[in-house]
């Protein structure tokens, strides 16, 4: 999924990430209950620390969560929060959405970059973010399609947004292994030149 300058149509790749929160991660066995892996809502950002477009946690206000719950109760389609693990239809199950809300409602930060764990990012559609070459604003290009991913494509995070590892093999009793995987192991896209959008 790339971003595109709406003025000159230049496209820049985004370092994507399939992200899950592990609600009951066990540090001794490096495992988690598969039923308590919750899909992390994410958004496209430009990370100043990574100096590339990446993904970050999409942390919303309690009022926005309540709006989503109300919409789900009456059968309306919602885009937030989208539960990609349990696709019973266009909406996540209300119960799993509530689980996710309970896991992150203590958060009052802006959400971490999934590729460095930092907070130095700005939303791609922000009016303050401009393409240095032409001054245009950016938009995210959404690719519609279905795909099956390797288990290792899923990165696992604590409830505070810090990386634990990547999804590993199934274990006994409904648990799954979490293989160690650090921020230094994440590969960022190669972007020609030095990009600092909005810089002078």
């Amino acid at each position: 999924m790339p971003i595109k300058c709406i003025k000159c149509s230049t496209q820049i790749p985004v370092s994507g990430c399939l992200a899950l929160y592990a609600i009951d991660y066990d540090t001794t066995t490096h495992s988690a209950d598969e039923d308590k892996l919750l899909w992390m809502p994410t958004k496209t950002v430009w990370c100043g620390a990574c100096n590339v477009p990446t993904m970050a946690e999409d942390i919303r206000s309690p009022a926005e969560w309540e709006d989503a719950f109300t919409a789900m109760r009456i059968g309306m389609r919602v885009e937030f929060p989208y539960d990609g693990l349990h696709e019973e239809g266009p909406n996540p199950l209300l119960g799993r959405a509530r689980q996710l809300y309970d896991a992150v409602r203590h958060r009052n930060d802006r959400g971490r970059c999934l590729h460095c764990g930092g907070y130095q990012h700005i939303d791609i559609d922000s009016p303050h973010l401009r393409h240095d070459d032409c001054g245009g604003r950016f938009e995210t290009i959404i690719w519609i399609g279905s795909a099956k991913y390797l288990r290792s494509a899923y990165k696992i995070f604590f409830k505070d947004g810090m990386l634990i590892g990547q999804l590993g093999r199934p274990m006994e009793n409904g648990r799954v292994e979490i293989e160690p995987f650090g921020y230094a192991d994440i590969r960022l896209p190669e972007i020609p030149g030095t990009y600092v959008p909005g810089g002078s």
Side-chain angles (χ1 to χ4, degrees):
M1 173 173 66
I3 60 171
K4 182 177 79 171
C5 173
I6 62 177
K7 186 173 182 182
C8 70
S9 297
T10 296
Q11 292 189 23
I12 301 173
V14 174
S15 185
C17 184
L18 298 169
L20 306 171
Y21 289 115
I23 303 307
D24 73 337
Y25 176 66
D26 186 321
T27 57
T28 304
T29 62
H30 301 286
S31 68
D33 184 334
E34 189 158 22
D35 285 340
K36 293 186 178 176
L37 292 177
L38 302 177
W39 189 261
M40 177 193 290
T42 59
K43 60 184 177 180
T44 308
V45 300
W46 190 289
C47 179
C50 298
N51 196 26
V52 293
T54 67
M55 304 301 289
E57 296 174 280
D58 191 356
I59 302 292
R60 302 283 181 104
S61 70
E64 289 174 284
W65 278 95
E66 287 304 327
D67 288 346
F69 295 148
T70 299
M72 282 186 272
R73 277 194 295 270
I74 61 175
M76 290 177 58
R77 295 176 63 93
V78 295
E79 293 183 12
F80 175 89
Y82 178 70
D83 186 340
L85 280 185
H86 298 79
E87 299 177 0
E88 285 84 1
N91 298 333
L93 291 175
L94 183 58
R96 288 191 66 79
R98 285 268 180 208
Q99 272 187 298
L100 178 58
Y101 175 66
D102 288 343
V104 299
R105 68 179 172 184
H106 68 284
R107 302 277 300 276
N108 58 7
D109 56 73
R110 50 198 313 251
R112 296 181 183 276
C113 169
L114 304 188
H115 297 84
C116 71
Y119 297 112
Q120 306 90 338
H121 55 75
I122 186 171
D123 289 359
I124 285 299
D125 61 359
S126 168
H128 303 294
L129 184 64
R130 300 283 178 165
H131 186 201
D132 277 354
D133 288 352
C134 71
R137 291 176 57 187
F138 290 104
E139 66 180 1
T140 303
I141 299 174
I142 304 296
W143 288 346
I144 298 175
S146 62
K148 291 193 175 180
Y149 300 98
L150 295 173
R151 293 179 71 83
S152 61
Y154 292 89
K155 304 301 177 273
I156 311 300
F157 295 81
F158 288 110
K159 292 186 290 185
D160 67 358
M162 293 299 288
L163 180 63
I164 301 172
Q166 63 189 19
L167 189 61
R169 62 181 174 79
M171 300 171 71
E172 296 178 359
N173 302 323
R175 296 190 70 79
V176 290
E177 181 182 57
I178 310 297
E179 298 174 2
F181 191 87
Y183 290 114
D185 300 315
I186 296 176
R187 300 177 78 187
L188 295 171
E190 297 270 338
I191 300 178
T194 301
Y195 268 81
V196 185
S200 53

